[in-house]
Amino acid sequence: DAKKLVRSPSGLRMVPEHRAARSPFGLDEPPWVPDKECPRCMQCDTKFDFITRKHHCRRCGKCFCDKCCSKKVPLPRMCFVDPVRQCAECALVSQKETEFYDKQLKVLMNGATFFVTLGTSDKSELMVCRLSNNQRYLVLDGDSHYEIEIIQISTVQILTEGFTPGGGNTRATGMILQYKAPGSEEVMQMKFTAGEDFSCNKKLSAAWLAAMHKATKLLYESRDQ
């Protein structure tokens, strides 16, 4: 998908030429709180003057003094080329998201193998499941081939085992995915189950499911924006 470099008051961004091609995990730039409505820092209440300058957080758009908005942190969800100024609260959120973009996104794109069951069928098919390079489709390959548009996914339920009353660790073993078929309001369902034989790497499948769980949270956040 073609991209273009654009400049906004917040900084340089590398964005898709067409909005329809944007990542389903992306966020729009927030509107900035107008300067005239912000005589004081929205965190510490310091009054702005010629010495104490005001700065806008690139993630939330609120107005802060330099002390409360000094960190420059990567913000890939808004396609910024370089790290941008963010308030302490937003910087913490963006730093946590960095792990998804640096590690878990690659896990999703590399894929993992699952037994996939359609709807209420009692038959399953061994398929390699991966996220497309443009992050917009979940691609399933086996004897059959499916491409599920990420924005059409309505719910994701991660299946686990190993929980004990004493608080023991759980292990992700599969997921139930619900989505709408293209051009239809009908909700479809797929069940993904990690294989128990040696041909299916349990550790890889569990890592893929954990990454999918994080991706789902980001997807929900993008929709709620």
Side-chain angles (χ1 to χ4, degrees):
D1 295 312
K3 294 187 177 183
K4 60 183 179 181
L5 188 66
V6 299
R7 181 183 294 277
S8 73
S10 299
L12 288 173
R13 302 169 65 222
M14 184 64 74
V15 301
E17 285 194 354
H18 303 287
R19 184 174 175 81
R22 63 175 284 182
S23 166
F25 309 119
L27 296 173
D28 291 328
E29 284 187 85
W32 282 12
V33 174
D35 287 351
K36 62 182 180 180
E37 296 179 11
C38 190
R40 295 177 178 273
C41 174
M42 301 179 75
Q43 176 63 40
C44 70
D45 204 38
T46 296
K47 186 177 181 180
F48 295 122
D49 53 30
F50 289 110
I51 297 176
T52 305
R53 296 180 58 197
K54 61 184 65 175
H55 302 277
H56 286 86
C57 171
R58 272 49 175 174
R59 187 178 181 112
C60 68
K62 295 179 181 179
C63 204
F64 303 91
C65 67
D66 182 69
K67 183 179 178 181
C68 294
C69 195
S70 61
K71 292 186 177 181
K72 289 191 175 182
V73 180
L75 187 47
R77 293 185 74 183
M78 292 184 190
C79 303
F80 284 108
V81 174
D82 301 307
V84 290
R85 189 184 290 269
Q86 299 178 55
C87 67
E89 183 177 350
C90 286
L92 183 60
V93 175
S94 294
Q95 286 168 342
K96 290 180 178 178
E97 290 173 354
T98 298
E99 181 182 358
F100 174 77
Y101 281 91
D102 287 349
K103 298 178 182 179
Q104 294 170 319
L105 194 56
K106 295 176 183 177
V107 170
L108 290 174
M109 290 179 178
N110 288 337
T113 304
F114 297 93
F115 286 104
V116 179
T117 307
L118 297 179
T120 58
S121 173
D122 57 358
K123 295 182 179 180
S124 60
E125 181 178 339
L126 190 63
M127 308 189 82
V128 175
C129 308
R130 63 178 179 85
L131 186 68
S132 64
N133 290 336
N134 61 15
Q135 305 171 20
R136 288 168 26 226
Y137 295 92
L138 187 62
V139 181
L140 288 73
D141 277 310
D143 290 336
S144 306
H145 176 82
Y146 299 96
E147 292 187 7
I148 301 172
E149 197 169 4
I150 295 295
I151 60 172
Q152 297 297 333
I153 294 176
S154 53
T155 62
V156 175
Q157 177 187 355
I158 302 297
L159 306 176
T160 61
E161 67 177 18
F163 176 78
T164 62
N169 293 331
T170 59
R171 179 173 66 92
T173 59
M175 71 176 179
I176 295 176
L177 182 78
Q178 292 186 325
Y179 64 98
K180 289 183 180 179
S184 171
E185 290 300 314
E186 182 182 2
V187 176
M188 312 289 287
Q189 179 172 295
M190 283 186 175
K191 182 178 180 180
F192 298 69
T193 307
E196 294 298 324
D197 59 0
F198 290 104
S199 65
C200 297
N201 188 319
K202 293 182 183 179
K203 187 174 182 180
L204 179 61
S205 298
W208 194 92
L209 289 167
M212 188 65 187
H213 185 237
K214 178 63 177 179
T216 302
K217 288 184 176 181
L218 298 185
L219 180 63
Y220 292 161
E221 289 172 9
S222 297
R223 290 173 175 171
D224 291 341
Q225 185 184 53

